[in-house]
Amino acid sequence: MRSDPGLRAAPRPPRALPPVPSAVQDDIPLSRPKKKKPRTKSTQASASSEGLTQTAVHRPSENSEPLTKEATEHPEASVQRRQKKTRLPLELETSLTHTKTSSPSLLPNENGINTEPDEEAVIQKPRRKTKKTRPAELQYANELGIEDDDIITDEQANPEQHSMFTAPTGTSQPVSKVFVEKSRRFQAANRSQLIKTTENIDVSMDMKPSWTTRHVALSVHRAFRMIGLFSHGLLAGCAVWNIVVIYVLAGDQLSNFSNLLQQYKTLAYPFQSLLYLLLALSTISAFDRIDFAKTSVAMQNFFALDPTALASFLHFTALILSLSQQMTSDRICLYTPPSVNGSLWAAGVEKQILQPWIVVNLVVTLLVALSWLFLSYRPGMDLSEELMFSSDVAEYPEQDKGIKVCS
Amino acid sequence: MLQTSNYSLVLSLQFLLLSYDLFVNSFSELLRMAPVIQLVLFIIQDIATLFNIIIIFLMFFNTFVFQAGLVSLLFHKFKGTIILTAVYLVLSIALHIWVMKLRWKSSKLFIWTDGLQTLFVFQRLAAVLYCYFYKRTAVRLGDPRFYQDSLWLRQEFSQVRR
């Protein structure tokens, strides 16, 4: 505790000395205790760290020795002293206002014995500084690309000043927070986080064009076109099979209607349902191909006898015809011989009902088979895709090329 | 901007509802072991159509075109879908009510009249057109141009105003 007054009073002497620039050698020891005295505070605060300081002792001693040499060899050092003197009062006012000013005891500084414990004490502050500040400095320097010289060289160039006053090093650090404008307000944000987030955004921006909603829409459209293509063939096949079965069951010259009804009644409704499902799918697919929603284009293609446009028309006609037979199909499904009470099939009515039904089925089959032929003539044609996404070509030239290559 | 994952999810839901609609339209006449089965199928079908209408309108509201106040442009582009969907919903409900009214006592009855047959044909045709237009609209709404300001949008708007 004895060192306290000495330590705290130490900064004062420079005030008395300014008018003597020639006493360079006297000043040197003066300057040394200045470094050490603030550090003795730290030793008192943490007296247990004596053993730890051995390695760090070199630093202040290394720093101090060249200083003396400089001071002796280069008289320019006196200029630095002057600068120091000018700085001192300001900083002392801030940092040492509460210290008791005692007589300027320069003696302990000049004594080599007294300085040794001070040197031990000196060690701690620089070490703390390095511990606290350097990792942060390096981090910022790495992340923000600030050159090391900008921050660290100040310390190394003026070791005397930094060893004495911590404030300048503190203020020269890059501020850890930056203020970013978010929703018309400036908000504090961490630099490192901000940099990371911006990097992430860059990455995501790079990733976005690879798979957009447009690509999802296109893939779905193409998947449905594939389903449609399949259903066209299946529908044509089913329709042909159906008409063959009907004609086989009806016998020669369509004479055996009762046999047809008895055999076919279980098949009538399932086939009607399947026919509607396939016809619906095929019609939607055919409309897709000619882009039916754009009526003018669709009509133009139809009058130009475009096979795809004709096929979609044939499909739609087949659909109407098929639906119109729903009542007859239900009647066939509920078939009971005319002899049974409550039968829907009176004697002699069979031919009247069944003949048009067979004809309609035949027509449906022909239409479906024809449209399948027309569609298979140009299976790759898809006006929807061309017209729906055509104007994107200008906006997405590269992507479109890629897609076309894929397709 | 519409997210790809969100759009995929919505599109899947729309297609699921459309598939259910197509399935009921195709096979509801087969699945008439009891009137209740058909009733449930029809109710779910109508709700599915209603859901599809809600979804497509939510997609409309999500577009930049709508948010910019160009509702007329949106209506002009998709009026076919909007009108057909509404017509189809009305036709479906009408047919379902009629069929269930006639079949409620016994599902094995022959209920067909010329009027019912006509309504049936129109409802099924509307179903196909609804499917086509709805699918087309859902796919078209995946176009990123609907979600950002662009020269294309301005040109479209000027065309509509003419």
Side-chain angles (χ1 to χ4, degrees):
Chain A
M1 291 298 284
R2 282 177 194 171
S3 60
D4 260 349
L7 288 169
R8 287 171 186 174
R12 289 255 166 152
R15 285 185 181 175
L17 291 171
V20 193
S22 62
V24 175
Q25 287 183 343
D26 292 337
D27 283 346
I28 296 159
L30 280 173
S31 65
R32 289 178 73 185
K34 279 172 202 167
K35 295 172 205 167
K36 293 158 192 172
K37 280 165 192 172
R39 289 162 196 164
T40 49
K41 285 181 194 172
S42 63
T43 51
Q44 287 162 359
S46 59
S48 62
S49 60
E50 285 177 6
L52 297 169
T53 54
Q54 284 180 353
T55 52
V57 165
H58 300 293
R59 198 177 284 172
S61 63
E62 283 170 7
N63 289 337
S64 61
E65 281 173 12
L67 276 173
T68 53
K69 285 175 188 174
E70 279 176 16
T72 51
E73 287 170 11
H74 307 289
E76 296 161 7
S78 62
V79 180
Q80 289 179 351
R81 296 286 126 65
R82 280 177 198 168
Q83 288 174 351
K84 213 187 282 177
K85 283 166 194 170
T86 53
R87 285 180 193 178
L88 272 169
L90 283 170
E91 291 159 1
L92 285 168
E93 279 172 13
T94 55
S95 62
L96 305 170
T97 44
H98 61 285
T99 55
K100 292 175 185 177
T101 54
S102 62
S103 60
S105 60
L106 302 171
L107 289 171
N109 302 328
E110 289 169 358
N111 293 333
I113 302 160
N114 288 337
T115 52
E116 275 184 7
D118 286 340
E119 275 184 347
E120 281 181 1
V122 165
I123 299 151
Q124 287 195 337
K125 243 187 178 175
R127 283 191 76 212
R128 281 186 182 178
K129 271 188 219 167
T130 51
K131 275 181 187 174
K132 287 177 183 175
T133 57
R134 281 199 175 178
E137 286 169 16
L138 288 169
Q139 193 185 353
Y140 297 136
N142 289 335
E143 288 175 349
L144 303 172
I146 297 168
E147 290 178 5
D148 292 347
D149 299 340
D150 297 341
I151 302 158
I152 297 163
T153 50
D154 288 342
E155 272 189 329
Q156 290 171 349
N158 303 320
E160 321 152 5
Q161 294 174 5
H162 289 294
S163 59
M164 285 179 67
F165 309 109
T166 55
T169 55
T171 50
S172 69
Q173 299 303 315
V175 184
S176 63
K177 288 191 172 180
V178 288
F179 291 87
V180 183
E181 191 176 7
K182 288 176 182 173
S183 64
R184 295 179 185 176
R185 287 183 67 189
F186 282 95
Q187 292 175 339
N190 237 344
R191 262 171 206 252
S192 53
Q193 286 178 357
L194 193 72
I195 289 161
K196 281 170 190 169
T197 50
T198 49
E199 280 172 359
N200 288 336
I201 288 164
D202 289 342
V203 169
S204 60
M205 288 288 278
D206 292 339
M207 292 297 287
K208 266 184 182 176
S210 62
W211 190 253
T212 60
T213 49
R214 183 173 165 273
H215 291 94
V216 174
L218 266 173
S219 61
V220 167
H221 180 76
R222 282 174 185 154
F224 189 81
R225 194 175 66 189
M226 191 74 90
I227 293 168
L229 197 65
F230 177 73
S231 71
H232 287 308
L234 191 66
L235 173 66
C238 281
V240 171
W241 169 81
N242 181 52
I243 202 71
V244 168
V245 167
I246 287 170
Y247 271 95
V248 167
L249 290 174
D252 292 338
Q253 307 294 319
L254 301 174
S255 56
N256 202 354
F257 282 121
S258 59
N259 180 46
L260 171 70
L261 285 169
Q262 278 179 349
Q263 302 292 326
Y264 194 76
K265 72 170 190 179
T266 49
L267 268 177
Y269 241 163
F271 184 77
Q272 182 73 16
S273 300
L274 185 67
L275 195 67
Y276 175 76
L277 177 68
L278 291 174
L279 266 172
L281 282 173
S282 301
T283 310
I284 294 166
S285 175
F287 282 169
D288 258 346
R289 283 165 182 269
I290 58 158
D291 202 16
F292 179 72
K294 291 192 175 173
T295 324
S296 57
V297 180
M299 292 303 285
Q300 218 173 356
N301 283 327
F302 177 72
F303 288 119
L305 296 177
D306 183 76
T308 317
L310 281 174
S312 52
F313 172 74
L314 294 180
H315 266 303
F316 195 68
T317 314
L319 182 69
I320 295 168
L321 287 174
S322 170
L323 284 170
S324 68
Q325 296 306 305
Q326 183 72 24
M327 192 199 286
T328 316
S329 291
D330 199 16
R331 195 186 281 267
I332 294 167
C333 188
L334 296 170
Y335 171 78
T336 46
S339 54
V340 177
N341 279 339
S343 174
L344 291 168
W345 295 86
V349 186
E350 293 169 351
K351 197 177 179 181
Q352 288 178 9
I353 296 170
L354 282 179
Q355 212 156 18
W357 177 76
I358 291 170
V359 171
V360 169
N361 266 312
L362 183 64
V363 171
V364 166
T365 306
L366 285 173
L367 291 175
V368 165
L370 260 180
S371 60
W372 174 67
L373 278 174
F374 285 148
L375 281 170
S376 56
Y377 177 68
R378 291 174 69 183
M381 185 188 172
D382 192 351
L383 281 179
S384 271
E385 191 178 318
E386 286 172 23
L387 291 170
M388 274 162 69
F389 302 102
S390 59
S391 47
D392 290 340
V393 176
E395 289 176 30
Y396 303 94
E398 291 174 10
Q399 291 173 20
D400 225 67
K401 278 175 194 169
I403 291 159
K404 278 178 181 173
V405 167
C406 292
S407 62
Chain B
M1 188 67 190
L2 186 66
Q3 296 293 317
T4 310
S5 56
N6 291 351
Y7 177 67
S8 306
L9 191 72
V10 171
L11 206 61
S12 309
L13 183 65
Q14 286 175 317
F15 271 77
L16 185 74
L17 294 174
L18 279 182
S19 305
Y20 177 79
D21 190 79
L22 198 61
F23 170 79
V24 172
N25 276 341
S26 303
F27 299 106
S28 66
E29 291 296 309
L30 270 181
L31 304 167
R32 55 174 186 185
M33 289 74 77
V36 178
I37 294 171
Q38 266 198 326
L39 180 70
V40 171
L41 285 174
F42 288 159
I43 288 171
I44 296 172
Q45 187 187 13
D46 292 337
I47 290 170
T49 312
L50 211 59
F51 269 14
N52 260 348
I53 293 170
I54 292 167
I55 290 168
I56 207 79
F57 271 96
L58 285 175
M59 285 181 86
F60 285 155
F61 300 155
N62 199 31
T63 55
F64 176 81
V65 186
F66 186 89
Q67 286 166 4
L70 308 175
V71 187
S72 59
L73 172 63
L74 214 55
F75 180 77
H76 179 78
K77 284 201 93 64
F78 300 110
K79 65 182 173 191
T81 309
I82 296 166
I83 293 166
L84 252 170
T85 310
V87 167
Y88 172 64
L89 184 64
V90 171
L91 284 173
S92 287
I93 292 170
L95 181 75
H96 294 161
I97 290 170
W98 197 348
V99 168
M100 286 320 298
K101 192 185 167 193
L102 294 170
R103 280 212 183 120
W104 191 244
K105 285 179 183 173
S106 171
S107 56
K108 298 286 179 188
L109 283 174
F110 184 78
I111 55 164
W112 297 97
T113 57
D114 287 341
L116 186 63
Q117 173 71 41
T118 310
L119 182 60
F120 179 86
V121 171
F122 277 112
Q123 192 264 345
R124 292 295 199 264
L125 283 179
V128 171
L129 290 174
Y130 153 77
C131 262
Y132 166 70
F133 276 94
Y134 193 91
K135 184 189 79 65
R136 189 177 182 274
T137 305
V139 168
R140 282 211 73 187
L141 284 174
D143 198 331
R145 289 176 303 173
F146 284 108
Y147 302 91
Q148 61 199 15
D149 191 11
S150 61
L151 192 65
W152 167 83
L153 187 62
R154 287 163 196 273
Q155 284 172 352
E156 289 284 325
F157 184 56
S158 61
Q159 279 179 5
V160 171
R161 290 189 77 178
R162 279 174 211 162

